[in-house]
Amino acid sequence: WELADKAVRATEVRASWESRVMLFVSAFLVLFTTAAIVLRERDSARRQRTMFLTDPLTGGSNLEGFYREASRAIAAAPPSTYLVVYTNIVHFRFINDSFGRAAGDELIMRLFEIYRESCDGLCARADSDHFVLLVKNDPLALRALCEKVDAELREAEDLHFTGTLSCNYGVCEADDSEASVASMVSDAALVLKAGVMDGGVACFTEAFRAKLSSEMEIVQGAGAALAREEFQMYLQPQIDVRTGALTGAECLCRWQSGALGFMQPDAFIPAFERSGLISDLDFYMLEHVCRAYPLAMPGGQGRALPVSVNFSRPTVLQDGFVERFLETVRRYGVPPEAIEVEITEGAFMVDEAVVISALSVLRAAGFRIAMDDFGSGFSSLSLLRRLPIQVLKLDKEFLREGAEADRTKLILSDIVSMAKHLGMRIVCEGVETAEHVELLGRIGCDTAQGFYYSRPIDLDSFRRKYLA
């Protein structure tokens, strides 16, 4: 029994020792595994944070990274120490379309290197061709930076499109330490898009802030104003240059606002275009033109007076434009020859096929199609050949140089001749003097429109003056 007791005790001691060893090994493995998992998670989180703050194309900071770094820099400095700058490449879309996306990416990476080497502050890519900078508040240094960047872009021999590259800049002063960097970047982007450029630089000022506030007031009151029919139809006559007879009229819009007073189109049309309300206004004016009929040409012949109605690009591109247009005109029983659909040349620069298709349907239904402001933008003669237009309206800027300017006469004469060979009627806007009328008659222009004949007038005045 004594030997048996010793054997049992020895077995118990050995089992206890093995248990302690196993417990130690298990604890070690658990701790080691836990530590490995924690370290891997930390490394993964660090990599994710880096990716979250890094632009994948340039390898530098992205917009979120810029927000964090710029916030720390601005908070540590007195107010107005820094400027927040938002930039873009002029006509970058053309570069991408013409040379390919790889060339566009190469340009973006090169521009990032130029900014990083030239800028004394922070630099980050926001998106596409847009960069954000944080620089010292020194207008002369900012101007020097802009000129240096443009010069280096033009002199980059390994880029396929040197000589034409430049950037525009929107600038916002970091004068309020309580304001977020995101709001400053937004302000800089806004002024870049809509501000007045001075050598490629637009500054966010109190005047621009007031303009934005006024625009917001306009947009907020637009819906109720449309419901109250505060927008009024004005007509400006179109006159035969040779005979002086009335040939038609253009419908123009004026806003008699109860809150804001009487406003010309320049005061509210841009806000409507940016807010998407322009389509509602376009069809509002079409409906009021239809309500005004019957409008008969003077002379007792009973022929309907053609009135041109402007339609913006967003309106023409929206789904159901043609159907809504035709339904409105048919509801009032207005003959197709009484309505002229007027589109600016800029409407054809995006989704050209969609615009041409819609206008072709309207032309086939008997409506005349007019291109407005021809010559004010990137006029394409090949596009002009393909468009379903019957009336070409020359931009008033052609007459700003003076009726006797040789280049003006040559350009106008050639455009008129070309359009007539294409079977189009020509209307020249901005006619203000007898010299303008004499020039247009000499080069064979059909129709004139402008203050020389009449300012835009309300419907009742137009009836009394021209249709009685």
Side-chain angles (χ1 to χ4, degrees):
W1 290 108
E2 185 176 351
L3 287 174
D5 288 342
K6 288 181 179 181
V8 170
R9 283 197 296 273
T11 301
E12 290 175 348
V13 170
R14 181 178 179 84
S16 177
W17 179 81
E18 288 178 349
S19 297
R20 286 196 296 270
V21 170
M22 288 299 297
L23 181 62
F24 175 78
V25 171
S26 299
F28 175 78
L29 289 175
V30 169
L31 291 174
F32 178 81
T33 303
T34 303
I37 292 173
V38 169
L39 290 174
R40 189 173 65 178
E41 290 295 328
R42 285 183 178 178
D43 185 60
S44 176
R46 180 182 57 79
R47 286 199 304 270
Q48 288 180 357
R49 283 196 301 271
T50 301
M51 291 174 61
F52 181 66
L53 302 175
T54 302
D55 176 62
L57 179 60
T58 64
S61 293
N62 61 10
L63 192 57
E64 184 62 34
F66 178 84
Y67 288 158
R68 298 189 181 192
E69 294 182 57
S71 296
R72 289 192 290 267
I74 292 172
S80 300
T81 300
Y82 292 103
L83 298 175
V84 174
V85 183
Y86 192 87
T87 83
N88 74 336
I89 302 170
V90 178
H91 303 317
F92 179 73
R93 180 176 177 179
F94 169 78
I95 294 170
N96 256 357
D97 293 344
S98 301
F99 298 94
R101 180 159 185 172
D105 289 346
E106 182 183 0
L107 172 58
I108 289 172
M109 289 187 288
R110 173 61 60 86
L111 186 57
F112 175 72
E113 292 298 327
I114 294 174
Y115 279 134
R116 190 168 61 176
E117 294 170 2
S118 307
C119 177
D120 61 354
L122 303 175
C123 168
R125 179 178 175 233
D127 58 67
S128 184
D129 62 314
H130 301 136
F131 286 85
V132 282
L133 314 174
L134 185 70
V135 299
K136 291 296 180 61
N137 188 358
D138 182 349
L140 294 179
L142 176 63
R143 179 67 63 181
L145 170 66
C146 299
E147 292 173 354
K148 180 181 179 182
V149 170
D150 285 357
E152 291 198 22
L153 282 178
R154 292 191 179 98
E155 294 169 3
E157 297 180 354
D158 56 334
L159 295 177
H160 304 293
F161 25 81
T162 54
T164 60
L165 290 175
S166 63
C167 295
N168 286 335
Y169 303 85
V171 180
C172 176
E173 183 177 332
D175 55 358
D176 183 2
S177 57
E178 299 298 322
S180 69
V181 175
S183 68
M184 298 177 196
V185 171
S186 177
D187 289 344
L190 275 174
V191 77
L192 171 64
K193 183 177 181 180
V196 178
M197 291 287 175
D198 178 12
V201 177
C203 295
F204 191 92
T205 61
E206 286 303 317
F208 185 77
R209 191 187 302 275
K211 177 184 174 183
L212 289 180
S213 177
S214 174
E215 183 173 302
M216 183 60 66
E217 188 176 3
I218 288 172
V219 170
Q220 289 175 342
L226 286 167
R228 291 193 296 266
E229 298 194 356
E230 292 182 352
F231 296 93
Q232 300 174 358
M233 180 180 75
Y234 275 55
L235 297 174
Q236 187 172 34
Q238 297 172 344
I239 306 296
D240 187 297
V241 173
R242 294 178 298 277
T243 66
L246 179 72
T247 63
E250 179 180 0
C251 169
L252 300 167
C253 181
R254 302 292 185 266
W255 186 2
Q256 184 61 60
S257 170
L260 304 173
F262 184 81
M263 285 188 286
Q264 299 283 350
D266 291 346
F268 60 88
I269 292 295
F272 275 53
E273 290 177 338
R274 285 190 285 271
S275 65
L277 292 168
I278 191 65
S279 296
D280 293 335
L281 182 61
D282 286 346
F283 278 104
Y284 173 98
M285 296 310 299
L286 173 64
E287 185 153 345
H288 277 67
V289 169
C290 291
R291 286 185 195 174
Y293 275 92
L295 295 173
M297 291 286 288
Q301 300 176 359
R303 188 163 57 91
L305 174 76
V307 176
S308 62
V309 183
N310 291 276
F311 288 92
S312 64
R313 179 172 63 194
T315 303
V316 179
L317 290 176
Q318 69 180 196
D319 292 337
F321 162 70
V322 172
E323 292 78 7
R324 185 178 178 185
F325 179 95
L326 293 174
E327 188 278 328
T328 302
V329 175
R330 289 167 181 164
R331 179 162 23 104
Y332 288 93
V334 177
E337 61 270 17
I339 303 294
E340 187 175 281
V341 180
E342 192 167 306
I343 310 291
T344 62
E345 68 170 4
F348 300 95
M349 305 311 292
V350 177
D351 293 324
E352 168 193 325
V354 176
V355 177
I356 291 178
S357 175
L359 297 182
S360 297
V361 173
L362 294 182
R363 176 171 175 171
F367 299 93
R368 280 198 306 191
I369 310 299
M371 178 189 281
D372 193 18
D373 297 336
F374 180 79
S376 62
F378 298 99
S379 305
S380 169
L381 297 183
S382 63
L383 178 63
L384 189 64
R385 175 176 56 84
R386 300 193 303 273
L387 297 180
I389 62 175
Q390 298 126 299
V391 181
L392 191 66
K393 300 192 71 175
L394 303 181
D395 187 70
K396 58 188 177 183
E397 293 298 327
F398 279 115
L399 298 179
R400 289 284 173 89
E401 297 180 18
E404 296 304 319
D406 292 337
R407 298 184 71 179
T408 297
K409 288 190 291 184
L410 287 172
I411 293 171
L412 282 174
S413 179
D414 287 345
I415 292 176
V416 169
S417 176
M418 173 196 65
K420 288 200 167 186
H421 279 97
L422 292 173
M424 299 177 186
R425 184 170 69 88
I426 312 299
V427 179
C428 188
E429 299 180 301
V431 178
E432 298 182 355
T433 66
E435 288 78 12
H436 289 166
V437 177
E438 192 272 333
L439 169 62
L440 296 179
R442 205 162 62 237
I443 64 176
C445 181
D446 304 310
T447 308
Q449 177 182 335
F451 289 176
Y452 177 76
Y453 296 104
S454 173
R455 291 178 177 273
I457 55 179
D458 62 71
L459 178 60
D460 290 340
S461 301
F462 189 88
R463 288 182 188 274
R464 288 193 300 269
K465 186 174 181 178
Y466 293 102
L467 305 183

